[in-house]
Amino acid sequence: MLSENKFTLLQQIVQNATPEEIIWTKGYLAGYLDKTTSETTPTIPNAAVKPLIVYGTETGNSKKIASQLLAGFKKNKIQAKAVDVFQFDIAKLEKESLVLFIMSTQGEGEFPQNAVAFYEDLKASNATLNHLSYAVLALGDTSYPLYCNAGILLDEALEEKGAKRLLDLAKADVDYSSTVTNWENHLKLVFQNQVSTETVAKTSTLATSHKKNYTGIISHKVVLNDRESNKKTFHIEITSQEEIAYEPGDSLGIIPKNKAEEIAFILNYFGTEATQEIKIKEQIVSAVQWLSQLNIKGLSKRSLDQIAALFKTTITFEKADLITILQQHPIQKIVTIDALLEILLPIAPRLYSISSSSEAHDGQVHLTVNLNTFKVDGEIKTGLASQYLADYPLETEFEFYIHKNNNFRLPDDKTDIIMIGPGTGIAPFRSFIAQRDATGAEGRNWLFFGEQHFTSDFYYQTEIQDWIGTGVLTKLDTAFSRDQEKKIYVQDRIREKATEFNNWLQNGANLYICGQKNPMSTDVENAIIAVIATERNITNEAAKEILEALETAGKYQKDVY
């Protein structure tokens, strides 16, 4: 629509023009329009924009971002929908014209479980997606060797099938809020024809944060379980001469090293001297150094497939240690240790929720670490990182970094909080309560904690009882699953306290869950939905929408793994 002045001017030109001049002008305008709309990636008028947001997630961050985008688009009168990639397939993709993908990366650069099938189907399909415009926001952690790899692979696969990028791939580190905001703003500019996609593409490379490394010592270590327990959970205190900058909700990151005896086995297997220098990707270090920093434990299917190709054998394991492979799949003599090392990835960092408060535990960082044990073919094995910490000698130099988690934060001092943390999920909530105790926060605090046995597995029992005595901890509900014939879990306690639980939520309490994603967090979330539905006399679907709205607003936060 032209402005009044422009329309009047056009009328004057047309009234004074000859028929030949009008025909020439018509051709000129058509040519000019073709020239301005011939970009390889089209801009899209706002009225025609109906983006579909597809998210792939393990911990819920991608889903949270999708909800944020929906809300932002709605304010700008852009019609959009969001869907879990697990509920999306290639047939549906072929019917869409504009899709925004939000994809997290797991482990060794892998797709979230809910996105694996979609990616594999996309790669294997004969689909032609010339009609599709897309953009990918990749979530990752710069501490990991294959940063944002799932998003990178998805972006490449879509391009291979002929789809057109609206924006260059955007990568977001764990502190992703500013990256998401920039990405959203760039999308809106393209949708509103305020800037060409080519211009935005050149400016869409977004900076990622860099993590500060610290050096300290493990000054104290104690097992929290009594001797009759089935578990071994360590309380670990780390002291540093540096001021360690962290907040309640943050995690501590370490890069564990392989055991000396496992390194020796591999060196002996290949007849390699520990001091032998080996060059990989322009870096030359000794064989023992390579094996101390490359991952040889719990190799992913992708790594195993690469090893199988090198060994010219078939490996059926979904996950296995390198030593297991060497024991069960004898290799040809032509395979060198150099070739094997070139395949292996660096050991990925391991993160542990911080269980201390800088206000209450000056100069220290505390961890609550369960020694991870599991069986493989009847043999008991332990997790690399938890065993590394369990064995690490006291008063010995120790390297670590702080992993900021701005999506798991305490609210203002007056807001009530509900904390659900069975097992080592209690770690950040010890930090929360200690912080609120030290700062004199007025908000009420309700803790749900669960483990196997009251007498042997009640972590931080003395501290918790002190907090109850002083009133810092307003309410405590525990569930010790194996102290009675019928197992009782934290979700059962939530159902038992349904009315009060719902009242706290309706009165503005923030809700937190920390611990194992499956099945714990899923079971707890289902219990919360059922409580909201029953207490408010609404459907489960409506209750689920309420919980999702709380999550979008930052009132419901999860740190699950």
Side-chain angles (χ1 to χ4, degrees):
M1 192 74 180
L2 292 174
S3 67
E4 186 175 346
N5 288 340
K6 288 181 179 179
F7 184 66
T8 301
L9 180 61
L10 179 63
Q11 281 184 315
Q12 292 173 351
I13 293 172
V14 170
Q15 287 170 357
N16 297 323
T18 65
E20 291 79 14
E21 288 173 332
I22 291 174
I23 293 171
W24 182 89
T25 302
K26 179 182 177 182
Y28 172 82
L29 291 174
Y32 184 82
L33 183 62
D34 284 343
K35 179 182 178 182
T36 58
T37 58
S38 63
E39 301 288 339
T40 56
T41 308
T43 54
I44 303 172
N46 190 53
V49 171
K50 293 183 180 179
L52 177 68
I53 304 168
V54 178
Y55 58 87
T57 186
E58 282 276 329
T59 60
N61 284 338
S62 293
K63 181 179 178 181
K64 185 176 180 180
I65 292 170
S67 299
Q68 177 183 326
L69 286 177
L70 279 177
F73 287 157
K74 185 176 180 180
K75 288 180 182 178
N76 286 270
K77 296 182 169 39
I78 297 173
Q79 297 181 44
K81 295 186 297 182
V83 62
D84 189 319
V85 69
F86 185 73
Q87 301 170 320
F88 194 66
D89 56 30
I90 304 305
K92 292 177 181 177
L93 182 64
E94 290 176 329
K95 297 176 183 178
E96 297 292 336
S97 59
L98 175 58
V99 181
L100 309 176
F101 290 92
I102 306 168
M103 191 61 61
S104 64
T105 296
Q106 307 302 313
E108 293 185 2
E110 298 156 2
F111 280 84
Q113 281 299 312
N114 67 336
V116 172
F118 173 80
Y119 174 70
E120 291 178 348
D121 289 347
L122 176 64
K123 287 290 289 183
S125 76
N126 295 319
T128 301
L129 302 178
N130 296 336
H131 65 287
L132 178 69
S133 295
Y134 77 94
V136 177
L137 173 64
L139 302 187
D141 183 341
T142 48
S143 300
Y144 285 74
L146 292 175
Y147 172 57
C148 287
N149 189 61
I152 293 170
L153 293 176
L154 176 61
D155 183 69
E156 291 173 349
L158 290 164
E159 183 185 36
E160 287 170 4
K161 302 299 177 183
K164 305 175 187 68
R165 285 191 189 90
L166 278 177
L167 303 176
D168 278 353
L169 173 71
K171 300 177 185 178
D173 201 358
V174 288
D175 188 7
Y176 54 71
S177 57
S178 61
T179 303
V180 172
T181 300
N182 288 339
W183 194 62
E184 180 181 0
N185 289 337
H186 288 159
L187 286 168
K188 288 174 184 175
L189 288 175
V190 174
F191 295 164
Q192 295 165 358
N193 274 340
Q194 292 181 16
V195 65
S196 74
T197 55
E198 184 176 296
T199 301
V200 175
K202 290 178 181 176
T203 60
S204 65
T205 302
L206 302 163
T208 57
S209 60
H210 295 279
K211 301 172 181 66
K212 173 178 170 54
N213 292 322
Y214 293 92
T215 300
I217 59 169
I218 295 182
S219 53
H220 182 65
K221 188 185 334 181
V222 63
V223 176
L224 295 172
N225 314 83
D226 280 348
R227 281 174 290 184
E228 63 271 20
S229 175
N230 296 320
K231 298 188 173 186
K232 186 176 281 189
T233 303
F234 292 87
H235 170 76
I236 298 172
E237 297 181 2
I238 300 164
T239 304
S240 176
Q241 296 299 317
E242 301 178 76
E243 182 180 350
I244 308 169
Y246 72 92
E247 300 175 66
D250 288 341
S251 297
L252 182 141
I254 64 165
I255 301 179
K257 290 184 170 53
N258 295 314
K259 289 183 178 181
E261 56 267 32
E262 294 175 331
I263 294 173
F265 178 93
I266 297 169
L267 290 173
N268 291 335
Y269 188 91
F270 284 93
T272 303
E273 292 293 329
T275 56
Q276 179 180 323
E277 291 190 335
I278 296 175
K279 182 179 179 181
I280 298 176
K281 296 176 182 175
E282 304 306 316
Q283 185 179 358
I284 302 174
V285 299
S286 68
V288 71
Q289 284 178 284
W290 280 121
L291 286 171
S292 69
Q293 64 192 39
L294 293 175
N295 186 36
I296 60 173
K297 305 277 286 184
L299 299 174
S300 68
K301 186 68 168 67
R302 186 180 60 192
S303 293
L304 292 175
D305 287 344
Q306 290 178 315
I307 292 172
L310 178 65
F311 289 6
K312 294 183 169 50
T313 187
T314 300
I315 298 174
T316 58
F317 293 111
E318 289 295 318
K319 185 168 273 194
D321 294 347
L322 176 60
I323 288 177
T324 302
I325 300 302
L326 294 176
Q327 289 170 334
Q328 298 190 16
H329 295 270
I331 62 172
Q332 300 179 26
K333 291 188 181 296
I334 59 171
V335 176
T336 65
I337 192 170
D338 304 50
L340 175 61
L341 294 177
E342 198 158 359
I343 289 174
L344 299 177
L345 294 170
I347 295 173
R350 305 300 202 270
L351 299 176
Y352 292 95
S353 297
I354 293 173
S355 55
S356 57
S357 157
S358 57
E359 293 287 339
H361 307 97
D362 187 32
Q364 291 189 329
V365 184
H366 297 175
L367 305 180
T368 309
V369 178
N370 177 58
L371 181 60
N372 183 24
T373 59
F374 51 94
K375 280 188 176 182
V376 177
D377 293 332
E379 182 183 356
I380 296 177
K381 293 181 176 289
T382 58
L384 173 62
S386 59
Q387 187 69 67
Y388 176 76
L389 288 171
D391 294 340
Y392 206 90
L394 295 176
E395 307 299 327
T396 304
E397 192 173 89
F398 178 78
E399 293 184 358
F400 61 94
Y401 67 91
I402 299 300
H403 172 101
K404 306 299 289 183
N405 187 358
N406 292 326
N407 301 300
F408 201 75
R409 286 284 186 254
L410 277 167
D412 64 75
D413 287 352
K414 294 183 179 180
T415 299
D416 298 337
I417 60 174
I418 302 173
M419 301 162 284
I420 304 164
T424 55
I426 195 174
F429 303 136
R430 179 178 183 260
S431 173
F432 279 18
I433 300 168
Q435 177 80 3
R436 286 198 142 191
D437 186 23
T439 59
E442 298 174 20
R444 297 180 298 169
N445 308 299
W446 186 355
L447 174 65
F448 287 85
F449 171 72
E451 249 299 356
Q452 292 187 356
H453 299 285
F454 171 83
T455 56
S456 59
D457 303 314
F458 194 167
Y459 309 148
Y460 305 113
Q461 180 181 357
T462 302
E463 284 184 331
I464 288 171
Q465 289 173 333
D466 287 343
W467 283 327
I468 292 172
T470 60
V472 175
L473 188 54
T474 314
K475 289 183 65 63
L476 170 69
D477 280 280
T478 58
F480 295 100
S481 59
R482 287 158 178 77
D483 279 351
Q484 59 283 311
E485 186 176 347
K486 181 184 177 183
K487 292 180 180 178
I488 297 175
Y489 299 103
V490 287
Q491 57 265 30
D492 300 310
R493 299 303 190 204
I494 291 169
R495 292 189 183 96
E496 290 172 5
K497 301 296 175 70
T499 300
E500 191 170 7
F501 190 95
N502 179 60
N503 287 341
W504 275 53
L505 289 182
Q506 287 191 306
N507 288 328
N510 276 24
L511 177 62
Y512 300 87
I513 296 177
C514 182
Q516 291 290 333
K517 184 177 191 297
N518 290 313
M520 186 279 294
S521 70
T522 302
D523 292 342
V524 167
E525 194 166 279
N526 288 337
I528 294 169
I529 291 169
V531 163
I532 293 172
T534 301
E535 292 299 312
R536 304 186 193 185
N537 195 26
I538 57 177
T539 65
N540 268 26
E541 192 57 39
K544 185 178 180 182
E545 289 177 3
I546 288 172
L547 194 60
E548 288 176 346
L550 289 175
E551 187 171 4
T552 301
K555 300 283 290 179
Y556 170 37
Q557 299 180 27
K558 294 181 285 187
D559 182 7
V560 295
Y561 36 83

